[in-house]
Amino acid sequence: MIDKRVGSLAAAVEGVRDGATVLVGGFGAAGVPVELVHALLEQGAGDLTIVTNNAGSGETDVAALIRERRVRKIICSYPRSAGSIWFEEFYRAGDIELELVPQGTLSERMRAAGAGLGGFFTPAGADSLLARGKEVRVIGGRRHVFEEPLRGDVALVQALRADRWGNLVYNKAARNFGPTMATAADLTVVQVREFVELGELDPEAVVTPGIFVDRVVEVAA
Amino acid sequence: MTISPLSHTGMAARVAQDIPDGSYVNLGIGMPTLVGDVVSAGKEIVFHSENGILGMGPAPAAGEEDWELINAGKAPVTLVPGGSFFHHTDSFMMMRGGHIDVTVLGAFQVSAQGDLANWATDDAHLPPAVGGAMDLAVGAKRVLVLMMHTTSDGRPKLLPECTYPLTAAQVVDRIYTELAVIDVTPDGFLVREMVEGLTRDELERRTAAPLAYADEVTVLAPPVR
């Protein structure tokens, strides 16, 4: 029998090691798996590489991981936002490494990892500083930069509902990076607002098929 | 004669005038978002948001905010009938893959070749941030820039070459400022419209790159909606 449901947030993040690369879903505050990130903070893993669109804001989620010195490196497209005080402080002090990636490239690098591809050429950023040190090739008369796949040891994702097979549906624009990140990690952990019975999710509407998911935990809204 | 520069809303309305009915449009953060508020009711325009929305509608009424329905600037929005949600990779496929008809972006600088600098300045104090700007600039079929003609301290933003880091090279099609509408052509900037009372000398003083002029330069005025 397949049952990916786990009974606690602690069980959901069990086994994450020091030095792990962790993909964290969300765009701004929408879709951030806040409780899973806090469970990871509690769990204690450090020296992490965090892959996420923004670098957290205020005192919660990724900002809290940074504040508690658990993050060695962050790979993101837009670390600067209202309230990203902890990232900015650590960045200025040289206490965190930043790899800045155009947003579409960030997403596509994870897609490539999930799809078993060795990378791709994109025109995005090909004429920018972000292409420095990377292979640039002219394709169809246009400059493209080679980008490598980006794989996580762990992905932390938020969705709306899951069944015990790990099939997922999301809510509105909180979907954002979730479906791609779910495909791109060795261990995909998802927090959902509710579990439903197998067969209850409309198969035409399942966004992430359970094959991409390892653990689901229920966190009531 | 005194110069009457366009207001921000007037500039946005002038941009909206150039967006054809039926277009799929992505508006950048900042002044470009104003364009969504001033499109003619007679046009059906589908707004795209990089975080996975097609058919993005205006801001909700106070108290009706849904924080899982936000735009690229992280502000709450609504969904119009016919709208849809999708994940980031699909969203950026739309942007990079030439499926977005028009994007309206803000800019720090634009060069006479249409190079765009809108993601980083020379302020080393700020951590760099890029977001979706590079994907959008290379991928949209038409790239319109909406910006003030000069910086707040009066330095030109239309330049022979950008001095700030490039977002993308040779991508800008047309620039809308409070003073003029200017096309980027293979021969450089071509002025199409100027506000009432502005002389060519005055416009050239505020512009660091050479300007050519259309055979008939028309008056830039806020369109009547």
Side-chain angles (χ1 to χ4, degrees):
Chain A
M1 179 169 131
I2 300 170
D3 193 352
K4 298 181 178 181
R5 294 171 300 178
V6 296
S8 70
L9 284 159
V13 297
E14 195 192 320
V16 179
R17 298 212 184 106
D18 286 350
T21 295
V22 183
L23 317 179
V24 179
F27 179 91
V32 177
V34 177
E35 285 78 7
L36 281 174
V37 177
H38 290 168
L40 182 61
L41 187 67
E42 194 82 2
Q43 186 260 13
D47 197 29
L48 301 171
T49 294
I50 299 289
V51 182
T52 190
N53 191 59
N54 307 103
S57 142
E59 301 291 337
T60 58
D61 57 83
V62 171
L65 280 178
I66 295 172
R67 183 191 67 213
E68 300 303 323
R69 303 194 168 271
R70 304 292 174 74
V71 185
R72 181 180 67 79
K73 179 178 179 180
I74 191 155
I75 304 177
C76 74
S77 88
Y78 210 88
R80 207 171 67 221
S81 50
S84 58
I85 43 171
W86 286 108
F87 168 76
E88 290 183 36
E89 184 170 323
F90 275 62
Y91 179 80
R92 288 201 183 99
D95 287 338
I96 193 166
E97 189 184 332
L98 170 67
E99 180 179 338
L100 192 72
V101 183
Q103 198 172 151
T105 300
L106 183 69
S107 186
E108 195 66 20
R109 285 180 62 189
M110 292 186 279
R111 193 194 80 85
L117 300 175
F120 55 94
F121 283 90
T122 174
D127 289 305
S128 81
L129 293 174
L130 302 184
R132 226 182 242 167
K134 296 175 183 172
E135 182 186 349
V136 172
R137 194 184 285 186
V138 176
I139 300 170
R142 184 160 216 201
R143 287 159 56 83
H144 289 63
V145 58
F146 179 71
E147 295 285 355
E148 293 193 349
L150 177 55
R151 194 168 180 82
D153 297 302
V154 184
L156 303 181
V157 168
Q158 188 214 94
L160 180 63
R161 293 189 189 94
D163 60 26
R164 67 175 169 83
W165 281 15
N167 293 309
L168 305 177
V169 294
Y170 297 81
N171 186 46
K172 305 190 181 81
R175 181 183 306 191
N176 57 62
F177 286 92
T180 301
M181 287 182 170
T183 69
D186 295 338
L187 174 70
T188 292
V189 183
V190 183
Q191 68 171 73
V192 296
R193 262 173 241 153
E194 63 171 336
F195 288 144
V196 295
E197 290 300 319
L198 207 59
E200 246 183 78
L201 296 175
D202 176 359
E204 296 285 359
V206 168
V207 175
T208 296
I211 190 169
F212 296 120
V213 174
D214 299 291
R215 296 175 189 168
V216 285
V217 62
E218 196 177 47
V219 177
Chain B
M1 195 166 175
T2 55
I3 304 171
S4 38
L6 261 50
S7 66
H8 289 188
T9 307
M11 293 162 70
R14 178 61 194 86
V15 174
Q17 206 178 20
D18 283 354
I19 299 177
D21 187 20
S23 298
Y24 291 92
V25 175
N26 183 300
L27 302 177
I29 294 174
M31 216 194 310
T33 58
L34 292 176
V35 174
D37 302 331
V38 293
V39 282
S40 149
K43 288 183 192 174
E44 196 160 51
I45 290 176
V46 180
F47 289 104
H48 171 269
S49 188
E50 66 185 16
N51 53 319
I53 309 172
L54 268 177
M56 182 171 60
E64 301 283 303
E65 297 88 354
D66 178 343
W67 294 99
E68 295 198 329
L69 182 48
I70 59 173
N71 64 16
K74 323 286 188 319
V77 292
T78 50
L79 192 74
V80 303
S84 55
F85 300 116
F86 36 86
H87 64 73
H88 246 80
T89 307
D90 281 354
S91 185
F92 279 78
M93 274 176 57
M94 295 175 195
M95 292 157 74
R96 255 190 340 256
H99 307 281
I100 302 290
D101 297 305
V102 179
T103 186
V104 184
L105 299 172
F108 298 134
Q109 299 175 333
V110 179
S111 84
Q113 296 77 48
D115 298 349
L116 173 69
N118 77 346
W119 72 282
T121 64
D122 46 13
D123 184 350
H125 193 65
L126 284 175
V130 62
M134 291 183 180
D135 302 276
L136 204 46
V138 300
K141 287 187 199 148
R142 202 162 155 74
V143 176
L144 309 181
V145 164
L146 173 62
M147 66 176 191
M148 300 307 284
H149 203 89
T150 57
T151 63
S152 51
D153 56 358
R155 284 174 297 146
K157 298 172 74 168
L158 295 168
L159 308 171
E161 300 283 346
C162 295
T163 59
Y164 289 158
L166 287 195
T167 306
Q170 300 183 318
V171 293
V172 176
D173 294 294
R174 178 173 270 195
I175 303 143
Y176 302 77
T177 77
E178 77 282 20
L179 301 178
V181 174
I182 298 172
D183 278 343
V184 177
T185 74
D187 301 320
F189 292 132
L190 179 73
V191 180
R192 294 264 177 209
E193 300 173 24
M194 288 164 61
V195 290
E196 192 92 65
L198 179 72
T199 66
R200 292 184 179 190
D201 270 359
E202 284 164 332
L203 186 63
E204 285 162 21
R205 263 193 289 116
R206 293 168 163 93
T207 309
L211 295 177
Y213 295 85
D215 292 340
E216 268 185 70
V217 175
T218 54
V219 173
L220 170 57
V224 181
R225 281 189 286 139

